[in-house]
């Protein structure tokens, strides 16, 4: 304590950055009473004591590596006595012993001096540490103050980062956004640190993947980072990139296995066609598989896709009939070498097998037991044939030979097996945005965002609508790269007319224009174009544009033509939904797919629309129960379905496998029971008769019995059917199915009849029909398909099957056992109780649902919620997209276990 010169108490006040010495002085006390004090002497005012300010000299911020930190206590005024203080270090985030050497001592500023220097020793460890602090407490008996000292973040090696995920091969859809992964630091990082990646591959950082994957917050040891995929809207296939995390700030990335990222285009829509399928991605990429015989995939070749393994044409075995020294021989085959044109005017190679009976180590012509010819490809690529011996086995009782035939289509001097996946060639349709793709049998068409249509493939019968005859270079559009892409021509529909909806059948096409009217072109046989004739349209100059008439679907009382809101084309037929909710169909009616079961149509006309008086208001709208209004229509080879505004579904037409789905074995729904008709004309003045003959259930032809219709010739001249008439042949056999027996009518045809105008004849009309002959099957008699109580968002019609897609992603199918994927070796939908409502959804796999469906051939496909496509059914041309199942059915037998998680997605990218 300082000794104040006036003898009164002296108080040392310490502030955060200075020490202030204050002295207070007062007068002496007196024992006299106040009222006894008379004229007291004045109290003298002492001289003011000096104010002593003490400051700290030196940096209060230091580095760990400084070693010694010096702080000087400086007084503004020197006193004549020592001024003492207690100085103590106080832990903060920096700790005594590990970060600094502690101090707890008395220090003084000596009398007559103004400064005292303190030394604080810092500890330089090897640990990574962030900015730390501790305090220096200065005190006397009356007061105290703390001074904060900062130790800067050190330069020791920072934290190490490891990726916690063990699986680093990742696949992501381009629009998925991001893919997250977890990282861990061995110590917390001091500052927010952005982590970046470096990468190499077909994908590009900054264009396809964001280089920054996230920020690790200060003080954290765990973080979730994200690889952000950029949706660049560029038309491209699958891209890959190998990524490694980069050192950033204080963080050191531990060596790690690269993150292998595969970016998959997003499938926007699936387009099922006649024997083929295509997908369209959000970025306008088109890839197709299945039948490609007319260059209809716009991929530069006309080979089917998905039916085999690209350049491998054949992989088979030859098993000899008898033991011997089996040899083979390859010889060049030239055009018409043996008097037969085996290669359509081209050349090839003959593969011969035989036993070396005479022991000369070669096959002589008389020793050849079997020959197969392999022709040069259309582009003159010759076959390459490899033959190897195989041992005796269950398949080959004797040792034989295997042979594989390749075509080096891409001229890379090697033989490539896979034509799917990355090898699946994209269609070159051009740069404009595609909104719809429609596949015919030999050609295809696309609707663009500008509401225009372009077509390519086989140009026969005006399929492409280009007013080009199918000759020379115009025979196929798309067999040369120069004809594809932006060089594909738009179809001319007339001045100022644009296309709202496009539909393609097997050999014809129609478009709903922006005025609601329909125009059609292509093969006109069977009246499918709806112009009152059978003429082809689109292959002659002047066919298209304003010269192409609108299809007349009738008009109201004011003469205003009906407009269409939906259209669908089958193999040889066409249907449209009018704006009033009615459906009208025209074209081929062999299976009653047109829904016109009135007697006048069924008895006299197989084709509707090929005669002048059959269209317009003469074309009847289909009659449905309760007069429901349709929103969409679907037609394929022989049956048709309509989806109504109340979400109900009606189907009619061919029902040979239960594809109509209304629990009936009636083979044609909508034919009034007339079924099939056949006839035989009389000749040489001999009458013919037809005799129905009951077949028992023991017959190998009909397991449940049936009827043989026997054609007899009136050889005994009685002009009546009797036992003396000669049996000519069995015209047809109709078998009983369940409770439904064959129904028939036999009519004698008079001379002058359309069928037999010269001498007349006999006609048989028969059916396996549950409703009975001449009983209307449409209207109130047509049952609606029993569906689940949820919205139907799409319908897919196959050759003999039907599938619906519900809003929740379930798919249900019925019809032919080879097409439905029900893993049931029996047709579904033709017996009581066999309804979609009673069936299970198609098993696409664990937690897999459908977003879209397509079909129109022997197979159906679905876009899944995993951005894949899965197909089931029969692969006739590779339409299931799985070469292992070419010529086979997927999902037909439960024991084969082909559905669910075992149903392999189509390798598209």
């Amino acid at each position: 304590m300082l000794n104040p010169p006036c003898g009164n108490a002296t108080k040392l006040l310490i502030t955060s950055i200075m020490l202030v010495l204050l002295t207070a002085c007062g007068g002496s006390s007196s024992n006299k009473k106040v009222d006894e004090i008379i004229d007291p002497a004045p109290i003298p005012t002492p001289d003011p004591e000096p104010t002593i300010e003490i400051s700290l000299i030196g940096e209060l911020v230091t580095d760990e590596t400084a070693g010694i930190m010096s702080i000087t206590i400086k007084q503004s005024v020197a006193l004549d006595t020592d001024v003492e203080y207690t100085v103590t270090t106080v832990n903060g985030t920096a700790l005594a012993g590990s970060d600094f050497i502690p101090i707890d001592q008395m220090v003084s500023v000596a009398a007559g001096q103004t400064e005292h220097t303190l030394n604080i020793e810092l500890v330089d460890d090897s640990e990574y540490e962030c900015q730390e602090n501790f305090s220096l407490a200065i005190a006397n008996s009356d007061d105290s103050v703390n001074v904060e000292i900062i130790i800067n973040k050190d330069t020791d090696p920072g934290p190490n980062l490891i990726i916690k995920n063990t699986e680093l091969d990742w696949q992501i859809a381009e629009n998925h956004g991001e893919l997250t992964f977890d990282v861990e630091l061995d110590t917390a990082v001091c500052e927010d640190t952005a982590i970046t990646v470096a990468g190499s591959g077909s994908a590009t950082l900054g264009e396809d993947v964001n280089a920054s994957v996230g920020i690790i917050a200060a003080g954290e040891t765990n973080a979730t980072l994200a690889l952000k995929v950029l949706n660049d809207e560029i038309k491209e296939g699958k891209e890959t990139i190998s990524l490694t995390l980069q050192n950033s700030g204080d963080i050191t990335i531990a060596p790690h296995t690269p993150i292998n990222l595969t970016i998959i285009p997003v499938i926007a829509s699936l387009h099922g066609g006649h024997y083929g399928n295509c997908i369209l991605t959000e970025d306008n990429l088109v890839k197709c598989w299945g039948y490609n015989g007319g260059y209809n995939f716009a991929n530069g070749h006309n080979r089917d896709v998905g039916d085999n393994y690209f350049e491998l044409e054949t992989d088979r075995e030859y098993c000899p009939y008898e033991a011997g020294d089996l040899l083979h021989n390859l010889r060049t085959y030239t055009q018409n070498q043996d008097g037969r044109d085996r290669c359509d005017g081209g050349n090839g190679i003959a593969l011969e097998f035989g036993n070396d009976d005479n022991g000369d180590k070669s096959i002589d012509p008389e020793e050849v037991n079997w020959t197969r010819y392999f022709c040069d490809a259309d582009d003159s690529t010759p076959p390459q044939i490899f033959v190897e011996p195989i041992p005796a086995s269950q398949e080959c009782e004797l040792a034989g030979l295997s042979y594989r035939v390749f075509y080096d289509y891409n001229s890379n001097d090697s033989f490539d097996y896979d034509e799917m996946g990355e090898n699946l060639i994209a269609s070159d349709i051009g740069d404009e945005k595609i909104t719809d793709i429609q596949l015919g049998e030999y050609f295809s068409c696309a609707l663009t965002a500008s509401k225009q249509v372009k077509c390519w493939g086989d140009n026969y019968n005006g399929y492409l609508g280009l007013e080009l005859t199918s000759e020379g270079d115009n025979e196929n559009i798309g067999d040369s790269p120069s004809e594809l892409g932006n060089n594909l021509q738009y179809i001319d529909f007339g001045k100022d007319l644009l296309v709202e909806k496009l539909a393609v059948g097997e050999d014809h096409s129609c478009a709903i224009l922006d005025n609601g009217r329909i125009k059609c072109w292509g093969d006109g046989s069977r009246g499918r174009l709806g112009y009152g004739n059978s003429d082809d349209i689109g292959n002659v100059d002047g066919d298209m544009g304003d010269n192409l008439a609108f299809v007349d679907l009738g008009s109201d009382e004011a003469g205003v033509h009906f407009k269409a809101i939906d259209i669908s084309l089958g193999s040889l037929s066409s249907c449209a939904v009018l704006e009033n909710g009615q459906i009208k169909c025209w074209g081929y009616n062999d299976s009653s797919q047109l829904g016109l079961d009135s007697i006048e149509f069924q008895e006299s006309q197989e084709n509707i629309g090929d005669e002048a008086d059959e269209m317009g208001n003469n074309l009847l709208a289909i009659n449905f129960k309760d007069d429901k209004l349709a929103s969409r229509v679907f037609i394929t080879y022989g049956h048709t379905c309509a989806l109504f505004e109340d979400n109900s579904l009606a189907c009619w037409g061919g029902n040979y496998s239960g594809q109509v789905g209304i629990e009936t074995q009636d083979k044609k729904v909508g034919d009034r029971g007339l079924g099939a008709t056949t006839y035989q004309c009389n000749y040489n003045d001999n009458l013919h008769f037809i005799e129905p003959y009951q077949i028992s259930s023991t017959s190998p032809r009909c397991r449940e019995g049936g009827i043989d219709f026997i054609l007899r010739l009136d050889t005994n001249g009685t002009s009546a059917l009797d036992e003396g008439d000669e049996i000519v042949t069995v015209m047809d056999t109709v078998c009983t199915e369940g409770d439904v027996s064959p129904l028939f009518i036999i009519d004698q045809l008079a001379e002058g009849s359309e069928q037999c105008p010269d001498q007349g004849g006999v006609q048989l009309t028969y059916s396996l029909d549950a409703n009975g002959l001449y009983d209307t099957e449409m209207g109130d008699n047509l049952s609606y398909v029993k569906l689940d109580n949820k919205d139907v968002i799409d319908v897919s019609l196959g050759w003999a099957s039907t599938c619906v897609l519900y809003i929740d992603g379930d798919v249900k199918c019925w019809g032919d056992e080879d097409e439905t994927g029900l893993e049931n070796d029996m047709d579904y939908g033709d017996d009581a109780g066999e309804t979609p409502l009673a069936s299970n959804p198609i098993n696409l796999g664990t937690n897999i649902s459908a977003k879209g469906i397509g079909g129109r051939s022997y197979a159906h496909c679905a876009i899944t919620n995993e951005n894949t496509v899965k197909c089931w059914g029969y692969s006739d041309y590779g339409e299931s997209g799985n070469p292992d199942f070419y010529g086979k059915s997927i999902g037909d037998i439960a024991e084969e276990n082909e559905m669910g998680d075992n149903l392999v997605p189509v390798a598209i990218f």
Side-chain angles (χ1 to χ4, degrees):
M1 181 66 69
L2 299 177
N3 296 317
C6 59
N8 291 339
T10 303
K11 183 177 182 180
L12 178 64
L13 300 178
I14 305 174
T15 67
S16 61
I17 60 172
M18 66 176 68
L19 304 180
V20 181
L21 179 64
L22 300 177
T23 304
C25 299
S28 60
S29 62
S30 171
N31 294 325
K32 293 181 179 182
K33 295 181 180 180
V34 174
D35 57 3
E36 292 179 350
I37 298 176
I38 300 174
D39 192 21
I43 300 174
T45 301
D47 294 333
E49 294 297 329
T51 300
I52 301 174
E53 297 180 353
I54 298 179
S55 60
L56 299 179
I57 301 175
E59 293 290 338
L60 299 182
V61 180
T62 187
D63 294 323
E64 181 182 77
T65 56
I68 299 295
M69 181 180 185
S70 295
I71 298 178
T72 299
I73 301 174
K74 181 177 178 64
Q75 294 178 170
S76 60
V77 177
L79 301 181
D80 56 0
T81 60
D82 292 347
V83 181
E84 295 183 340
Y85 314 100
T86 301
V87 179
T88 306
T89 53
V90 180
N91 285 344
T93 55
L95 302 178
S98 58
D99 298 303
F100 61 90
I101 302 301
I103 296 175
D104 186 10
Q105 63 187 41
M106 295 291 296
V107 300
S108 61
V109 177
Q113 301 294 318
T114 60
E115 297 180 357
H116 178 81
T117 299
L118 297 172
N119 289 326
I120 303 174
E121 185 178 353
L122 302 175
V123 177
D124 184 11
D125 57 24
S126 60
E127 295 182 6
Y128 171 77
E129 295 170 308
C130 304
Q131 184 186 77
E132 299 176 292
N133 64 80
F134 66 97
S135 298
L136 185 65
I138 305 173
N140 67 4
S141 60
D142 295 322
D143 210 345
S144 66
V145 67
N146 288 337
V147 179
E148 183 182 43
I149 298 174
I150 304 296
I151 303 176
N152 288 325
K153 179 173 71 72
D154 62 26
T155 58
D156 291 323
N160 290 310
L161 180 148
I162 61 171
I163 299 176
K164 297 173 69 174
N165 302 62
T166 57
E167 176 56 54
L168 297 179
D169 289 331
W170 296 331
Q171 179 171 295
I172 186 172
E174 187 177 33
N175 72 341
H176 184 77
E178 61 184 30
L179 197 156
T180 60
F181 60 100
D182 296 322
V183 296
E184 185 177 56
L185 304 177
D186 54 9
T187 186
V189 67
C190 295
E191 301 169 343
D192 290 353
T193 305
I195 303 298
T196 61
V197 293
S200 61
S202 56
T204 304
L205 282 176
E207 295 180 5
D208 300 299
V209 182
N210 200 333
S212 176
V213 295
I215 294 176
I216 300 179
E220 298 294 333
T221 58
N222 289 277
T224 297
L225 304 180
L227 288 171
K228 295 183 179 180
V229 177
L230 306 177
N231 194 351
D232 55 15
E233 299 184 359
I234 297 174
K235 182 166 63 175
E236 55 197 358
K238 178 177 72 176
E239 298 178 288
T240 59
I241 190 168
S242 182
L243 301 166
T244 53
L245 302 184
Q246 300 298 292
N247 294 339
S248 183
D250 296 334
I251 296 176
T252 300
I253 308 297
H256 68 86
T257 302
I259 300 171
N260 295 315
L261 183 64
T262 300
I263 305 172
I264 303 296
V266 180
I267 301 172
S269 54
L270 172 66
H271 305 269
H274 296 273
Y275 314 108
N277 297 287
C278 293
I279 60 94
L280 172 65
T281 72
E282 288 185 350
D283 295 334
N284 216 37
L285 180 73
V286 177
K287 284 195 169 188
C288 306
W289 61 96
Y291 183 73
N292 189 36
Y295 296 91
N296 38 316
F297 289 164
N299 59 5
H301 66 78
N302 66 343
R303 301 183 300 276
D304 296 344
V305 179
D307 59 331
N308 57 30
Y309 292 92
F310 191 24
E311 295 182 338
L312 175 63
E313 179 69 20
T314 301
D315 187 359
R316 295 188 177 181
E317 298 175 347
Y318 172 75
C319 301
Y321 297 106
E322 57 185 22
D325 188 6
L326 181 62
L327 300 177
H328 76 280
N329 180 54
L330 298 174
R331 62 177 174 84
T332 300
Y333 173 81
T334 57
Q335 181 180 356
N336 296 323
Q337 184 181 59
D338 54 2
R340 298 178 62 183
D341 186 8
R342 299 181 183 275
C343 290
D344 294 329
N347 303 323
I349 293 178
L351 172 60
E352 300 172 331
F353 293 103
N355 288 336
D356 184 19
D357 296 331
N358 60 17
D360 63 355
K361 305 300 181 184
S362 65
I363 301 178
D364 299 323
E366 63 273 11
E367 294 174 330
V368 175
N369 294 327
W370 185 83
T371 303
R372 185 168 182 186
Y373 298 88
F374 298 96
C375 302
D376 294 352
D378 291 343
D379 60 359
S380 299
T381 301
Q384 303 289 326
I385 303 176
F386 300 90
V387 181
E388 296 178 346
I390 56 173
S393 64
Q394 184 175 356
E395 289 74 21
C396 266
E397 184 177 344
L398 302 172
L401 296 171
S402 70
Y403 59 97
R404 291 185 296 166
V405 182
F406 292 87
Y407 290 87
D408 188 17
Y409 292 120
N410 56 17
S411 302
N412 65 351
D413 295 324
S414 65
F415 300 115
D416 303 310
Y417 280 85
D418 197 355
E419 62 184 349
M420 301 299 291
E422 291 182 272
N423 296 321
L424 182 59
I425 302 172
S427 302
D428 185 8
I429 305 174
D431 297 327
E432 187 179 358
K433 183 69 176 177
I434 302 297
T435 59
D436 189 19
I437 299 171
Q438 293 281 319
L439 297 164
E441 183 174 9
Y442 302 102
F443 71 102
S444 302
C445 298
L447 177 63
T448 69
S450 63
K451 298 186 178 183
Q452 299 185 83
V453 172
K454 53 174 70 176
C455 299
W456 60 92
D458 192 335
N459 192 37
Y460 185 68
N461 286 354
Y463 296 164
L464 309 185
L466 298 176
E467 298 182 337
L468 299 172
T469 58
S470 181
E471 298 175 355
D473 292 340
N474 296 328
E475 181 177 359
N476 297 289
I477 301 299
D479 56 347
S480 170
S482 63
E483 298 173 336
L484 294 170
N486 294 331
N487 293 325
L488 286 170
Q489 299 178 39
Y490 292 114
I491 291 177
D492 181 8
F493 291 101
K495 184 179 180 181
D496 299 329
L497 288 175
L498 298 175
V499 177
E500 294 292 340
K501 190 173 181 63
L502 174 68
V504 170
E506 193 167 274
D507 298 322
H508 72 299
S509 305
C510 295
I512 300 178
L513 304 175
D514 55 357
N515 62 2
R517 303 293 301 281
I518 292 174
K519 289 189 175 186
C520 298
W521 67 98
D523 190 326
S525 62
R526 304 285 184 178
R528 71 185 86 175
L529 300 185
Y531 289 119
N533 56 53
S534 298
D535 298 341
D536 300 334
I537 295 177
N539 58 346
V540 176
D541 188 28
D543 275 355
M544 304 298 290
D546 290 326
N547 294 326
L548 181 60
F550 295 112
V551 176
D552 186 0
L553 296 179
S555 56
D556 61 19
E557 294 180 355
V560 178
H561 287 285
F562 293 131
K563 297 180 180 180
I565 60 172
D566 192 39
I567 188 165
S568 178
L569 306 187
S571 178
L572 301 166
S573 312
S574 309
C575 291
V577 180
L578 307 183
E579 60 182 352
N580 61 10
Q582 293 183 328
I583 294 177
K584 289 191 172 186
C585 298
W586 61 97
Y588 194 35
N589 196 36
D590 65 323
S591 296
S592 299
Q593 59 265 50
L594 304 187
L596 303 172
D597 70 341
S598 65
I599 293 177
E600 62 177 300
F601 282 104
Q602 286 297 331
E603 287 187 334
S604 62
Q605 303 200 28
E606 188 175 49
N607 306 315
I608 306 297
D610 59 344
E611 300 291 341
D613 60 349
E614 295 175 345
M615 297 299 292
N617 288 336
N618 291 326
L619 179 62
L620 301 180
I622 298 175
N623 185 18
F624 297 106
K625 183 188 297 186
D626 303 324
D627 297 324
K628 290 189 177 185
L629 302 181
S631 57
R632 296 188 65 187
V633 66
F634 310 86
I635 185 169
T636 181
Y637 304 93
H639 75 291
T640 311
C641 294
L643 187 63
F644 296 91
E645 292 178 351
D646 66 353
N647 203 50
S648 57
L649 183 75
C651 298
W652 61 94
N655 189 44
Y656 300 95
S657 300
Q659 61 263 42
V660 170
I662 55 174
E663 305 171 82
T664 178
Q665 295 184 8
D666 188 350
K667 298 306 179 186
K668 295 180 182 179
V669 175
D671 65 346
R672 300 184 63 89
L674 289 173
T677 299
T678 184
Y679 61 88
Q680 172 64 51
C681 297
N682 300 326
Y683 60 89
N684 295 333
D685 296 325
N686 288 319
L687 299 177
H688 286 81
F689 300 101
I690 298 174
E691 178 185 13
Y693 179 81
Q694 293 290 333
I695 302 173
S696 70
S697 58
T698 60
S699 169
R701 297 192 303 280
C702 293
R703 60 186 180 183
E704 297 180 84
I707 297 177
D708 273 339
F709 294 100
I710 301 173
L711 179 66
R712 286 179 175 267
L713 183 63
D714 185 24
T715 52
N716 58 13
T718 63
S719 298
L721 178 64
D722 53 44
E723 293 183 358
D725 294 336
E726 176 186 343
I727 296 176
V728 179
T729 187
V730 175
M731 291 188 69
D732 214 329
T733 299
V734 183
C735 300
T736 298
E737 293 189 13
D739 297 330
V740 182
S741 299
L743 301 171
F744 60 91
I745 296 175
I746 299 173
D747 293 311
Q748 294 300 132
L749 302 175
E751 292 183 15
S753 63
E754 181 181 355
Q755 298 91 329
C756 300
D758 295 332
Q759 299 186 40
V762 63
Q763 177 175 281
L764 168 67
T765 302
Y766 63 92
S767 177
L768 189 68
D769 197 304
N771 288 330
L773 290 171
Y774 297 105
D775 180 14
T776 179
E777 297 174 347
M778 301 298 292
D780 290 340
N781 289 328
L782 180 64
S783 300
Y784 290 104
V785 180
K786 295 178 181 177
L787 300 175
D788 299 80
N789 186 26
K790 47 191 176 183
D791 289 348
V792 175
I793 61 175
D794 205 358
V795 180
S796 173
L797 271 59
W799 178 270
S801 57
T802 305
C803 296
V804 295
L805 170 62
Y806 289 114
I807 194 170
D808 62 359
D810 280 349
V811 177
K812 288 196 173 183
C813 300
W814 58 93
D816 192 291
E817 61 181 286
D818 289 332
E819 302 177 20
T820 56
L822 293 174
E823 297 183 291
N824 185 350
D825 59 356
M826 297 181 64
D827 297 339
Y828 188 87
D830 55 351
D831 287 325
E834 294 182 348
T835 69
L837 180 61
S839 68
N840 293 321
I842 299 301
N843 186 1
L844 297 176
T846 305
N847 297 323
I848 297 179
S849 58
K851 297 170 60 179
I853 57 173
R856 302 190 76 186
S857 63
Y858 304 111
H860 296 271
C861 300
I863 305 174
T864 75
N865 58 328
E866 294 187 341
N867 193 43
T868 62
V869 171
K870 288 191 170 187
C871 300
W872 61 95
Y874 184 76
S875 181
D876 198 25
Y877 298 96
E879 54 264 56
S880 70
N882 189 335
D884 286 338
F885 284 90
Y886 170 56
K888 301 177 182 178
S889 290
I890 300 175
D892 54 336
I893 301 175
E895 289 75 15
E896 293 177 347
N897 200 22
E898 296 163 345
M899 299 298 289
D901 293 333
N902 293 324
L903 183 59
V904 179
V906 179
I908 299 174
F909 303 110

